[in-house]
Amino acid sequence: MEAKIVTFDGKLILGKKLEMSLANNLTPILWKSFIPQIPSIPNRITKELISVSVYPQDYFQSFHPSRNFEKWAGVEVSLTNDTLIGLESLRIENGMYAEFLYQGLPKEAGVFYQNIFRNWLPNSKYQLDARPHFEVMGEKYKNEDPNSEELVYIPITLR
């Protein structure tokens, strides 16, 4: 598993959020409620879709699949428009991230993430940082296609 270490200046996301757990995954419901609103969003920077997970501070230290976190479906914007009903903004602060390429079906991503957290991260010179995790779904993202690709960003700092 290869990671590219990147530094972001920050991202401003406009979208919808739901509280969920891995055991009670509401991601499809979240995206189905958000997708129809995308055409009405002004100030979009790209056509990419952004999925963001905001975990409680000690989420990974006391991990349990039924523990809740905040999941966002959104797009990156240059500035927010508070008049769009039902949408909220989230700022992903600047910082260092490990970037991974995931190819495959969403339902098979569990093994991929386990490999990051059980193998790559412990054997790297980095540690997990308490910032949002996110995925960028661009041109090569095809949802339920085994050839679908997305970029996965894990927040890190040096040990």
Side-chain angles (χ1 to χ4, degrees), residues 3 14 16 32 41 43 56-57 60 69 71 84 90-91 97 100 109 117 121-122 127 159:
L14 187 67
K16 286 187 150 186
K32 282 179 185 167
I41 297 175
N43 308 311
Q57 187 73 25
F60 292 97
F69 61 93
K71 182 75 150 193
L84 294 171
L90 171 71
R91 177 161 295 284
Y97 280 84
F100 300 90
F117 292 108
L121 192 60
Q127 63 186 8
R159 288 187 201 269

Side-chain angles (χ1 to χ4, degrees), residues 35-55:
I35 292 289
Q37 293 183 274
I38 293 175
S40 66
I41 297 175
N43 308 311
R44 286 184 65 190
I45 293 177
T46 69
K47 292 187 179 204
E48 298 169 330
L49 302 175
I50 311 287
S51 178
V52 182
S53 298
V54 180
Y55 298 103

Side-chain angles (χ1 to χ4, degrees), residues 23-95:
N24 184 28
N25 187 348
L26 304 174
T27 302
I29 293 167
L30 175 63
W31 279 101
K32 282 179 185 167
S33 72
F34 175 65
I35 292 289
Q37 293 183 274
I38 293 175
S40 66
I41 297 175
N43 308 311
R44 286 184 65 190
I45 293 177
T46 69
K47 292 187 179 204
E48 298 169 330
L49 302 175
I50 311 287
S51 178
V52 182
S53 298
V54 180
Y55 298 103
Q57 187 73 25
D58 64 342
Y59 183 86
F60 292 97
Q61 290 79 13
S62 55
F63 175 79
H64 193 277
S66 63
R67 188 157 183 217
N68 282 350
F69 61 93
E70 195 176 87
K71 182 75 150 193
W72 287 74
V75 294
E76 187 175 6
V77 294
S78 56
L79 54 102
T80 62
N81 183 340
D82 294 336
T83 62
L84 294 171
I85 296 173
L87 299 183
E88 299 179 67
S89 63
L90 171 71
R91 177 161 295 284
I92 299 175
E93 298 300 328
N94 62 333

Side-chain angles (χ1 to χ4, degrees), residues 86-147:
L87 299 183
E88 299 179 67
S89 63
L90 171 71
R91 177 161 295 284
I92 299 175
E93 298 300 328
N94 62 333
M96 191 168 28
Y97 280 84
E99 175 190 275
F100 300 90
L101 174 64
Y102 175 70
Q103 182 178 18
L105 297 168
K107 66 183 178 187
E108 297 171 354
V111 172
F112 173 81
Y113 283 96
Q114 286 177 7
N115 195 20
I116 292 172
F117 292 108
R118 291 185 180 166
N119 298 317
W120 182 84
L121 192 60
N123 293 306
S124 74
K125 61 182 178 180
Y126 304 100
Q127 63 186 8
L128 199 57
D129 196 10
R131 288 179 285 118
H133 300 222
F134 64 97
E135 295 84 37
V136 176
M137 296 158 283
E139 291 178 3
K140 295 183 179 181
Y141 180 74
K142 298 175 184 123
N143 199 6
E144 291 298 324
D145 183 321
N147 296 312

